[in-house]
Amino acid sequence: MLVYADSIKSSDFSEFQRYLHDIKEQSNRLTAEQQVYLKYLTGYEQGFLGNFEQSIHILQSIPQATVDTELMLRAQSTLLNILTIQGRFAEAFVLADEITQQVPKSENTTARLHALRVVALLYNHAGLYEEALHYSMLAQQQSSQGWDLCPAKQLMIESYYRLKKVEYVDEMYSRAVVSCQQAGDQVFESLVHYYYIRYLLDIEDFQRALQMTNEYYKNVQQLSYEPLHVYYQALKAEVYYLVSDFDSAEQAALEVISRMDTSQYFEAHVIANNILYQLYERQDDYKSALHYHKLLHQTQLQYRDAQSERIRSFHETKAVMQAKTQQIEFLNMENSLLNLQQQVLSKEAQNARLLLGLFVLLLLVLGFLAYQGLMGRHRFKFMAENDELTGISNRYHFNKLAEKSLLHCKKQGLTVGVILFDLDHFKQINDNFGHATGDWVLQQVVQSCRNFMRLDDVFGRLGGEEFAILLPGCHADKALMLAEICRDSIEDIDTRLSGYEFLLTASFGVTSSDTSGFDLKQLLSDADQAMYRAKQSGRNQVHFYTGTASANQPSQYSG
C-alpha cells in the first residue's frame, strides 16, 4: 500500500490521501523502515497542503531515522522543494549542494530524476535560468520513458520562457503535454499550459489565450495546490483585461490580492496590482488607481529585492561551500603531513624515504583532486549533451552543433542536407512488448543508421522516437540516398533478437539548403512537412520537400 500511495501522490492527490489515512490506521503493523517511509509520505502530504513548517519538521527528521540512501535523497529533494516554495534560499542552496553531490552516487533512477528536477526548480525560482536549464536537461537525459519526461520538460519550458527563447516553448509544448498526460501529472501539465498561454500573450494571440485559460483553469480548480491556483488567477486577470472583459479581470485580480502572503506570490501580485491600477484609471477612479499604483511599485521593489537576495544567497552559499571543501582538503593534507612528521621523528633512519613519500603523497592527493574535478565536469557535460539511452546528441546539443555546421557551410558555399525520421507505430511497440523492448529498438536504430554516416555528420535524438541528421557538404540526391539506405537498414533489423517479432519501419523527410536555406528551424520544419507526407502516404517511405507541402514527393528509392 505504501508503494502504491507513493506512485499516485502527484497524479491523484485525493486518492493518495485516502490511502495514507488507511495506512496510518494500521501503522502499528508496519516495520521500522516502513514507518520511516510513511513519515516521508506524510511530509509530502503536508507540503502539498501548504502546511510547510510541519512538512519541513517531518522531512528533516528522516535522514537520522533510516539507512536507506534512496529514501534519504527523496526526502531531501522534497525538503528542497518546500524550502524553495517558501523562499528560504540560503538553506535551499546549501541543501542543493549536498543533493547534487549525492546524485551521481545514487543507483535509483527515480530518486536521481526527482533530485535533479527539484534542483532545477530551485534555480528557476532564484532567477538563475541557465543553471535551471542545465539541471532540467540532465533530468531529461536520464528519463528513458515518455511518462517520466513530464517534470523535466515543464522546467525546460519555464527556463526557455524566462530566457526569452520562446521558439523553444512553442516547439516543446505539444510533446510536454503528451508526456504529462502519459504520467497523469496534472500539476506539471497545468504549469506547461500556463507558460504556453503566457507565450500566446507575448505574441498577442489573445483569443486563443482566453480559450486555453478558461479550459485549463477548470482542471486547476480541482487540484488542492494553492500556488498554481494563485498564478492562474493572475493569468486570468491579464487575459481578461487584454480581451476587454474588465469585470472578470477585476474579479480575478482581487482574488489574487486576497492572498496575503505576497512573498510566495510576488509575480502574481505584480500582475494583479498592475491590472487593477489600469482598470481604475480607465474608470477615472483615481483614488483607487493611486492606491494600486503604490502597491504595484511596492511589490515590484520587494520582488527585485527578493530576486537580488536570492542571487546573493546563491553566490554566498557557493563561496562558503567552496571554502569548506578547500578547508577539508587542507586539513586532510595537514593530517597526512603530521602523521608523516611523527613517523620521521620516530624513525630517523628513514628520513629521506619518508620525506620523499611525503612529497609524492602530496602530489598524488593534488593530482587525484584535480582528476576528480575534471572527470566530474566531463561527466556532467556528457550527460547534458548526449542522449543517455542511445549515446547520440540530445536535442539541445544537436541544435548547437547543427547551427555551428550550418554557419560554416554557408560561409564556404557548401550545400547542407537534412534528414528527419520518425519510427512508425512506436507507441504500439511500447504498449504491446514493454518499454524495455522500445529502448532496445531505439538503440538498434541508432546503431544501424550510424554505420552509414561520416564523421562530420550531426546525428541527434530530438525526443521520443524522432531523430535528425544534418549532412554538411551534401546535395539533395545524396541525402535522399542516405535516407533510403537508413530506411532499408531499419526495416532489416531482426526484431526477434529483442525476444519478440514485430514489424519495424520508419518514415523519412528530407530537405536541403538549396530549397530551405540555412536556418535550422526552417530546415527542420520543411523536413518535418515532408516526413508528415511520408506518413500520410502509407509510412515506411522517404519524401523530399520541394517547396510546398502539396508538392512533397516520394524519392525514387521509396520502398
Side-chain angles (χ1 to χ4, degrees):
M1 287 181 74
L2 283 165
V3 174
Y4 178 72
D6 193 358
S7 70
I8 63 169
K9 65 183 187 298
S10 61
S11 59
D12 191 343
F13 185 74
S14 298
E15 182 71 6
F16 164 71
Q17 280 191 295
R18 285 194 289 272
Y19 263 86
L20 204 60
H21 177 268
D22 292 343
I23 295 168
K24 287 175 183 177
E25 291 289 315
Q26 307 170 42
S27 61
N28 58 328
R29 300 180 185 177
L30 301 178
T31 65
E33 278 301 312
Q34 288 173 332
Q35 292 278 2
V36 181
Y37 195 178
L38 175 60
K39 183 182 285 190
Y40 162 68
L41 295 177
T42 303
Y44 176 93
E45 175 195 34
Q46 293 305 312
F48 197 97
L49 292 171
N51 303 323
F52 296 131
E53 290 304 324
Q54 189 174 348
S55 174
I56 289 170
H57 176 72
I58 293 170
L59 294 168
Q60 283 178 334
S61 69
I62 288 176
Q64 290 78 39
T66 184
V67 293
D68 185 341
T69 54
E70 176 197 337
L71 191 57
M72 281 190 224
L73 182 57
R74 293 184 68 195
Q76 286 183 306
S77 301
T78 304
L79 175 59
L80 178 59
N81 196 355
I82 303 298
L83 292 174
T84 300
I85 292 170
Q86 278 215 297
R88 292 162 62 168
F89 288 94
E91 298 168 73
F93 283 124
V94 172
L95 184 57
D97 187 77
E98 294 175 14
I99 288 172
T100 53
Q101 291 180 43
Q102 292 175 37
V103 166
K105 302 173 188 175
S106 174
E107 296 180 359
N108 185 280
T109 303
T110 302
R112 287 202 311 271
L113 287 173
H114 184 210
L116 289 169
R117 292 166 188 158
V118 175
V119 172
L121 176 70
L122 166 65
Y123 284 119
N124 264 340
H125 275 249
L128 299 159
Y129 304 119
E130 291 287 0
E131 287 83 355
L133 192 58
H134 169 73
Y135 282 104
S136 54
M137 283 180 171
L138 285 180
Q140 181 176 246
Q141 290 311 302
Q142 299 197 30
S143 303
S144 59
Q145 310 297 342
W147 56 266
D148 64 7
L149 285 166
C150 169
K153 284 185 179 294
Q154 182 274 309
L155 290 163
M156 288 174 67
I157 284 176
E158 181 177 351
S159 297
Y160 280 131
Y161 178 78
R162 301 296 186 185
L163 290 166
K164 308 298 183 186
K165 297 180 179 180
V166 292
E167 67 275 12
Y168 291 109
V169 176
D170 186 31
E171 186 180 312
M172 291 183 65
Y173 171 69
S174 296
R175 289 192 180 96
V177 171
V178 170
S179 295
C180 291
Q181 288 174 347
Q182 288 176 345
D185 198 322
Q186 296 180 36
V187 172
F188 280 107
E189 184 187 345
S190 298
L191 286 168
V192 170
H193 294 312
Y194 174 83
Y195 284 103
Y196 188 72
I197 294 168
R198 298 221 65 84
Y199 156 74
L200 292 176
L201 294 182
D202 288 349
I203 63 171
E204 299 185 1
D205 191 348
F206 301 141
Q207 289 302 321
R208 190 174 174 206
L210 175 65
Q211 176 191 344
M212 290 184 68
T213 301
N214 288 333
E215 179 181 353
Y216 295 117
Y217 181 65
K218 295 174 185 175
N219 298 335
V220 171
Q221 286 179 301
Q222 296 173 10
L223 301 172
S224 305
Y225 191 49
E226 187 181 31
L228 197 59
H229 177 77
V230 174
Y231 277 97
Y232 259 85
Q233 282 288 357
L235 182 64
K236 282 175 61 183
E238 191 169 0
V239 172
Y240 286 140
Y241 181 82
L242 290 169
V243 298
S244 302
D245 184 350
F246 300 127
D247 289 340
S248 298
E250 180 181 19
Q251 183 180 346
L254 289 171
E255 173 67 22
V256 174
I257 299 301
S258 70
R259 311 287 171 153
M260 297 305 293
D261 193 350
T262 311
S263 63
Q264 283 187 43
Y265 311 118
F266 271 125
E267 187 176 357
H269 275 254
V270 168
I271 293 169
N273 283 318
N274 187 40
I275 294 297
L276 291 169
Y277 156 63
Q278 293 182 72
L279 279 171
Y280 292 129
E281 188 177 44
R282 287 178 63 90
Q283 297 169 9
D284 296 330
D285 183 351
Y286 297 113
K287 182 178 179 181
S288 297
L290 179 61
H291 170 71
Y292 284 107
H293 187 270
K294 286 179 179 178
L295 284 179
L296 171 64
H297 180 65
Q298 179 185 336
T299 311
Q300 285 175 328
L301 286 176
Q302 289 174 336
Y303 183 60
R304 283 196 291 268
D305 289 346
Q307 201 75 343
S308 300
E309 179 63 23
R310 292 168 187 174
I311 295 171
R312 186 195 63 78
S313 294
F314 166 69
H315 290 295
E316 195 174 85
T317 304
K318 190 175 180 181
V320 168
M321 298 308 294
Q322 286 176 343
K324 188 180 290 185
T325 301
Q326 291 170 355
Q327 186 178 17
I328 291 169
E329 291 168 0
F330 175 76
L331 288 172
N332 287 336
M333 286 189 286
E334 192 175 57
N335 287 335
S336 298
L337 283 169
L338 288 171
N339 289 333
L340 285 170
Q341 285 174 346
Q342 288 174 0
Q343 292 177 38
V344 168
L345 290 172
S346 63
K347 299 180 181 180
E348 292 182 3
Q350 299 178 15
N351 274 354
R353 276 181 294 171
L354 287 172
L355 284 172
L356 180 61
L358 168 64
F359 286 116
V360 171
L361 177 61
L362 283 173
L363 287 172
L364 286 172
V365 169
L366 292 172
F368 176 74
L369 290 172
Y371 174 77
Q372 286 286 86
L374 182 63
M375 291 306 292
R377 285 193 296 274
H378 279 312
R379 182 179 179 188
F380 276 111
K381 186 173 185 293
F382 182 83
M383 289 167 66
E385 294 179 346
N386 293 279
D387 177 53
E388 184 181 32
L389 181 65
T390 61
I392 61 175
S393 294
N394 60 28
R395 187 185 199 93
Y396 169 78
H397 195 224
F398 173 84
N399 287 346
K400 186 177 178 182
L401 293 177
E403 293 281 11
K404 185 177 179 181
S405 183
L406 283 166
L407 182 61
H408 171 76
C409 290
K410 187 175 182 180
K411 287 181 179 178
Q412 298 298 318
L414 300 173
T415 303
V416 178
V418 169
I419 299 172
L420 196 68
F421 69 93
D422 187 276
L423 302 185
D424 298 328
H425 304 300
F426 182 71
K427 186 177 184 301
Q428 292 180 17
I429 295 173
N430 270 333
D431 292 344
N432 294 336
F433 308 111
H435 290 289
T437 303
D439 289 349
W440 179 88
V441 165
L442 294 171
Q443 290 168 338
Q444 293 301 309
V445 166
V446 167
Q447 184 178 334
S448 178
C449 294
R450 231 175 184 172
N451 293 331
F452 306 104
M453 292 182 202
R454 304 166 300 173
L455 290 176
D456 59 346
D457 292 340
V458 184
F459 191 18
R461 181 184 177 195
L462 302 189
E465 66 274 21
E466 187 177 49
F467 299 86
I469 308 169
L470 184 129
L471 306 161
C474 182
H475 289 281
D477 57 341
K478 296 294 190 297
L480 277 166
M481 185 180 296
L482 177 61
E484 181 58 32
I485 289 169
C486 289
R487 185 203 64 76
D488 196 48
S489 176
I490 290 169
E491 191 176 15
D492 286 343
I493 291 173
D494 186 358
T495 58
R496 290 173 297 179
L497 297 175
S498 70
Y500 303 97
E501 188 171 2
F502 50 88
L503 180 66
L504 178 59
T505 61
S507 300
F508 287 73
V510 181
T511 190
S512 77
S513 56
D514 291 337
T515 305
S516 304
F518 286 89
D519 179 71
L520 178 60
K521 189 173 182 181
Q522 189 62 51
L523 283 161
L524 291 174
S525 175
D526 292 348
D528 186 63
Q529 284 192 46
M531 183 179 75
Y532 177 72
R533 294 285 296 173
K535 285 192 176 291
Q536 275 193 323
S537 302
R539 296 184 168 83
N540 192 24
Q541 298 183 17
V542 177
H543 274 244
F544 183 73
Y545 181 80
T546 55
T548 62
S550 61
N552 293 336
Q553 296 296 329
S555 80
Q556 60 180 313
Y557 307 101
S558 292

